[in-house]
Amino acid sequence: MVALTTGQVVAQPMLNAGNIDEVIKAMTIEEKVNMLLGCGQSFGGEVKFPGTAGRTYDIPRLGVESAYLADGPHRLHMTKTREWDSKTYITTEFPSETNVAALFDTDAAYQIGQAIGAEVRDFGLDVLLAPGVNLMRSSLCGRNNEYYSEDPVLAGKIAAGFINGIQSEGSGTCLKHFAINNQETNRNNNDSRLSQRALRELYLKNFEIAVKESNPWSIMTSYNRAQGLYTCENRDLTETILRDEWGWNGLVMSDWNAGKDAVASIKAGNDMLQPGQQGQREALLKAANDGSLDMALIDLSVKRVLEFVLKCHTPNGYVYPNETDLKGHAALVRQIGAESMVLLKNADNTLPFNPAAHRGFAAKRGVALYGVTSYEMVPAAMGFGGTNVGPYIVSLVEAARNAGMAPDMTLAATYKKHIAEKNKENYPNGVPAFSITAPLRASEWVPSAEVLAENVKNNDIAIITLGRTSGEGADRKREHFFLTDEEKDLLKVVAEAYHKVDKKVIAVLNVCGPIETAAITEYADAILCAFEPGQECGNSVMDVLTGKVNPSGRLPMTWQVAFGDAPADQNFPADYVFDMSMFARAYSKDAAEKAQITKAPELVRNVDYTEYQEGIYIGYRYFDTFGKAVAFPFGHGLSYTTFGYEIVSSGINGDECQLEVKVTNTGDRAGREAVQAYVKAPKGKLDKPAKELKAFAKTKSLEPGESQVVTLKWKTMDMA
């Protein structure tokens, strides 16, 4: 109740799904403006969920409660400990989005989404700021491991599966980063310039598929400009395309501290500005009071915010247990992590190898682990969405023991000493637990001939693990694509030593994206690309190497021979060092100067603006069309068994194309197959790629001789 004048009292509406308009009418202008802003980030002190992205505003007098937001995509990001709280809050480190895409399996994406959606709910939060669905335009983009693929169909459909899984648990999602956010260098000011055709066929198609097949609760605009306008200030994106053309009616929020003009953002249909700044509040209040910002637009955005909030757990009184099924989720991570790995090479059936006792006596099979990454595996991306500080990381040493083998502990001790020395050299003040830029990794140690001779004598097989990581805030550099001299030397000397006595060498690639593979292919008998498979990484790798799991992953991106082979490489900041502190993003010029932001020179190509001169020819669309050699093609992946295909039926029914394919396991091991349907367009007025992925399906695990008919569907307009 509120008193208006002496003796006059009216009832205040309390928010529910049936009276949103009434509640908006009861709000003051200040309250309405607050609803258009985030309520700060939750980094410590007396906040409800420390380490999360923040919350929406509450208005207790009107029954408006906050919705709580947390970063993803492969981990519910929050601080493990809280002030005045003895509990430890552990969340699961799930596989990277690249791994999930490599499955070519929307059901598996749903399972991962379902598990992380349960963790969001169980820990009292409401919305995961995920998934990221931007395309892998360049192999060096710092956030590629938070994205799915170079192909919009694969990216969009896997994202839809993930979103549907999360939202099945009553938790919300925020599809991001809308749109054309394909580099981290100067991400807050870079202008993406491209043709309408490339925009529609590639860089919006992934979002369109995800929106139409999963209806995410919210969408996050990106930091960059698109055709000159910041995306959060671009009405063509947020209203004309997203809402009018695609028919979506959810909440649009900005990325954290994105854009420059708060009023322009609301006018464009960007409903909520995160994490909320005082300068934005003042600008919006002024515009609301002087009429330069139409109150009808304010009310519309406030209504979208309230509709969003009412979907959430918190306003619906959910009593959360503050614990979750960590054991069950770890088992899922191990399974999905293993199945998503891509077997790139398997000469003479090197894999799987038998971990059991051999050579006529009961000794455990000895395995020599080479490479720094064998001992410091990378479970997922660096950055706000994945900080590599999950509950644990399973190394290959632990995993080999779990598999019944004997890792060479003398070799392990040597690596432990080497890593400690290099960390002290690289980080004199201590190794940081978190960095938004690609962290320095200890340079490789190359064993001497004497050490190798002893290793070869004591072990039956060699595993060389090579690692790369990246993260939010910085792109990888050209040098990160190529192998270092130490890595090449390591491959050469280990292979020569083991091959002399007819012992095998396996390369494991624990990487965030493509790297140079010529030397790896030359020296390794088998190559397993693990990408970043989550907290159970060592166990997942060993499950594949020993045949416990038959790998069924397929590459969701093309692996080029050298950086520079793809036309997009010529329009990417591969050698530019851009200094951006973690929060070097500000609303006003004064704030920017106070934050001491390092600004790039005016109009530096690929830094201040990026021309997408390659048009529609990214990834396999370029390499296949122009006959350019690749290291490994998009969709590639070997198996421990073989499959036969038979087209059962095909045709067009109305506006839908359908293809039924009978898949038969023709080998001698159980396994799953990823069926991919590509379309080659007839010659017309427009140039077209040699082929384009239009649909895919994953079989169940087929026993030898077993068959399954899978159905692939796509719209005729998908071929336009």
Side-chain angles (χ1 to χ4, degrees):
M1 307 290 281
V2 60
L4 299 180
T5 59
T6 304
Q8 188 179 10
V9 177
V10 297
Q12 293 182 133
M14 302 300 284
L15 180 66
N16 61 63
N19 72 346
I20 294 176
D21 291 336
E22 187 182 353
V23 168
I24 293 172
K25 288 179 183 177
M27 288 182 184
T28 65
I29 292 178
E30 289 80 5
E31 288 171 335
K32 290 180 180 181
V33 166
N34 279 347
M35 295 306 299
L36 305 181
L37 301 168
C39 199
Q41 290 168 293
S42 303
F43 283 153
E46 287 298 301
V47 295
K48 189 174 182 180
F49 303 108
T52 59
R55 62 183 176 91
T56 62
Y57 266 88
D58 59 331
I59 308 175
R61 75 177 187 88
L62 296 174
V64 178
E65 297 190 53
S66 293
Y68 291 86
L69 318 175
D71 263 309
H74 38 76
R75 177 172 173 254
L76 169 57
H77 187 202
M78 62 183 185
T79 305
K80 287 183 178 180
T81 58
R82 300 174 184 175
E83 208 167 28
W84 318 114
D85 189 338
S86 62
K87 292 183 67 174
T88 301
Y89 298 89
I90 300 295
T91 60
T92 305
E93 190 85 67
F94 290 91
S96 73
E97 289 195 82
T98 304
N99 285 81
V100 178
L103 291 158
F104 278 71
D105 184 353
T106 55
D107 289 338
Y110 183 97
Q111 285 182 280
I112 289 289
Q114 195 172 34
I116 198 168
E119 293 201 2
V120 171
R121 181 199 63 220
D122 291 346
F123 285 110
L125 289 126
D126 296 300
V127 178
L128 191 74
L129 301 175
V133 75
N134 297 90
L135 296 187
M136 298 174 178
R137 174 178 175 263
S138 167
S139 60
L140 296 187
C141 175
R143 297 187 84 169
N144 274 354
N145 46 11
E146 290 188 51
Y147 301 150
Y148 291 112
S149 176
E150 68 186 34
D151 182 84
V153 171
L154 180 59
K157 288 184 175 295
I158 294 294
F162 181 79
I163 291 167
N164 284 327
I166 291 178
Q167 295 184 173
S168 74
E169 296 295 317
S171 299
T173 58
C174 185
L175 181 66
K176 61 185 186 183
H177 305 90
F178 192 63
I180 334 169
N181 180 195
N182 307 108
Q183 71 180 59
E184 288 296 282
T185 301
N186 197 22
R187 66 181 185 180
N188 294 84
N189 293 290
N190 178 262
D191 184 14
S192 298
R193 301 175 181 177
L194 70 169
S195 69
Q196 278 294 310
R197 184 182 181 195
L199 179 67
R200 291 291 187 154
E201 290 188 18
L202 295 178
Y203 298 100
L204 292 182
K205 179 60 69 176
N206 43 341
F207 284 97
E208 181 181 4
I209 292 169
V211 165
K212 290 182 176 179
E213 296 188 8
S214 67
N215 192 23
W217 289 9
S218 60
I219 290 176
M220 183 189 295
T221 50
S222 52
Y223 285 119
N224 56 287
R225 292 181 171 98
Q227 316 289 48
L229 287 175
Y230 284 106
T231 61
C232 59
E233 300 168 15
N234 191 324
R235 190 171 178 85
D236 282 344
L237 282 176
T238 51
E239 287 291 340
T240 304
I241 294 173
L242 185 56
R243 291 185 169 115
D244 295 344
E245 291 186 18
W246 297 351
W248 181 80
N249 60 1
L251 171 76
V252 174
M253 68 177 77
S254 75
D255 207 335
W256 268 231
N257 297 300
K260 298 293 182 185
D261 189 328
V263 175
S265 294
I266 300 302
K267 286 181 177 180
N270 196 116
D271 306 300
M272 186 163 59
L273 306 177
Q274 289 286 0
Q277 300 173 6
Q278 185 58 32
Q280 292 171 325
R281 179 176 287 101
E282 291 168 0
L284 290 171
L285 277 172
K286 180 178 182 300
N289 284 313
D290 67 19
S292 57
L293 177 57
D294 192 335
M295 189 58 67
L297 285 179
I298 294 175
D299 288 350
L300 179 58
S301 287
V302 171
K303 183 173 184 176
R304 290 170 179 158
V305 174
L306 294 179
E307 288 172 341
F308 170 81
V309 167
L310 281 171
K311 295 178 183 178
C312 296
H313 302 297
T314 302
N316 287 296
Y318 178 69
V319 180
Y320 54 96
N322 246 345
E323 57 186 25
T324 194
D325 184 13
L326 292 174
K327 187 175 180 180
H329 295 167
L332 178 63
V333 168
R334 182 169 179 169
Q335 173 198 338
I336 295 294
E339 289 189 357
S340 68
M341 292 179 187
V342 184
L343 185 60
L344 298 177
K345 176 185 177 182
N346 194 22
D348 301 322
N349 293 319
T350 296
L351 296 175
F353 61 75
N354 183 356
H358 64 298
R359 292 187 297 187
F361 56 91
K364 289 183 177 180
R365 187 163 195 175
V367 57
L369 301 173
Y370 298 94
V372 168
T373 312
S374 288
Y375 303 92
E376 290 193 340
M377 298 202 78
V378 183
M382 303 298 289
F384 294 107
T387 58
N388 287 355
V389 290
Y392 56 80
I393 301 171
V394 177
S395 71
L396 280 181
V397 175
E398 179 183 355
R401 286 173 167 167
N402 292 341
M405 291 179 287
D408 189 323
M409 295 313 295
T410 301
L411 187 57
T414 302
Y415 267 100
K416 182 178 179 181
K417 180 181 178 183
H418 168 75
I419 292 168
E421 289 173 350
K422 289 299 178 181
N423 281 342
K424 188 174 181 181
E425 180 182 321
N426 291 332
Y427 304 107
N429 297 320
V431 180
F434 170 79
S435 173
I436 65 168
T437 58
L440 292 171
R441 295 184 67 75
S443 57
E444 284 299 351
W445 170 73
V446 181
S448 65
E450 293 77 18
V451 170
L452 272 172
E454 190 68 16
N455 295 161
V456 172
K457 182 177 70 174
N458 295 333
N459 296 287
D460 307 291
I461 199 162
I463 297 174
I464 303 173
T465 310
L466 302 178
R468 294 289 189 278
T469 189
S470 64
E472 181 177 355
D475 292 310
R476 293 203 294 159
K477 302 305 170 197
R478 188 188 306 265
E479 65 189 81
H480 299 147
F481 177 88
F482 293 101
L483 298 182
T484 65
D485 290 341
E486 291 86 357
E487 287 171 330
K488 291 178 182 177
D489 288 345
L490 177 65
L491 286 160
K492 182 175 186 293
V493 300
V494 170
E496 289 177 348
Y498 280 80
H499 288 163
K500 276 182 183 179
V501 294
D502 200 28
K503 292 182 179 180
K504 301 296 187 181
V505 175
I506 299 163
V508 174
L509 308 182
N510 182 200
V511 295
C512 55
I515 62 173
E516 176 189 16
T517 58
I520 305 171
T521 303
E522 178 182 357
Y523 292 116
D525 300 291
I527 306 171
L528 180 68
C529 178
F531 289 119
E532 296 174 340
Q535 65 191 38
E536 291 280 332
C537 44
N539 283 333
S540 295
V541 167
M542 207 57 68
D543 285 346
V544 173
L545 297 184
T546 61
K548 184 177 180 180
V549 172
N550 190 342
S552 59
R554 302 293 182 263
L555 290 179
M557 79 293 281
T558 304
W559 282 46
Q560 59 205 72
V561 174
F563 185 80
D565 287 352
D569 294 346
Q570 310 311 315
N571 292 283
F572 191 83
D575 297 308
Y576 192 91
V577 178
F578 186 78
D579 181 15
M580 185 184 84
S581 67
M582 189 184 299
F583 298 108
R585 302 178 290 272
Y587 172 64
S588 68
K589 182 179 177 182
D590 290 343
E593 290 172 352
K594 289 177 183 177
Q596 296 181 330
I597 296 175
T598 302
K599 289 189 176 296
E602 288 298 315
L603 295 179
V604 175
R605 178 173 169 267
N606 298 335
V607 177
D608 294 315
Y609 66 94
T610 300
E611 300 277 4
Y612 288 43
Q613 292 177 325
E614 71 281 356
I616 61 171
Y617 292 107
I618 69 166
Y620 73 86
R621 285 170 168 77
Y622 167 73
F623 288 100
D624 288 352
T625 303
F626 296 97
K628 182 79 171 179
V630 298
F632 297 102
F634 176 90
H636 171 72
L638 304 176
S639 173
Y640 295 153
T641 190
T642 55
F643 297 95
Y645 283 22
E646 177 189 345
I647 295 178
V648 176
S649 68
S650 63
I652 300 176
N653 183 15
D655 66 346
E656 186 175 80
C657 303
Q658 182 169 304
L659 182 66
E660 288 188 319
V661 182
K662 181 181 180 182
V663 182
T664 302
N665 184 342
T666 57
D668 57 7
R669 283 179 172 269
R672 303 182 69 194
E673 175 68 324
V675 184
Q676 305 163 45
Y678 295 83
V679 167
K680 178 179 176 62
K683 186 173 179 59
K685 292 181 180 180
L686 284 176
D687 58 306
K688 294 286 286 183
K691 67 175 186 285
E692 293 183 289
L693 180 72
K694 295 303 173 188
F696 57 90
K698 194 71 169 279
T699 69
K700 66 179 183 178
S701 182
L702 299 175
E703 295 296 325
E706 187 179 6
S707 300
Q708 179 185 354
V709 175
V710 298
T711 302
L712 301 100
K713 297 179 181 180
W714 65 97
K715 299 291 185 182
T716 54
M717 275 302 294
D718 293 338
M719 300 184 290

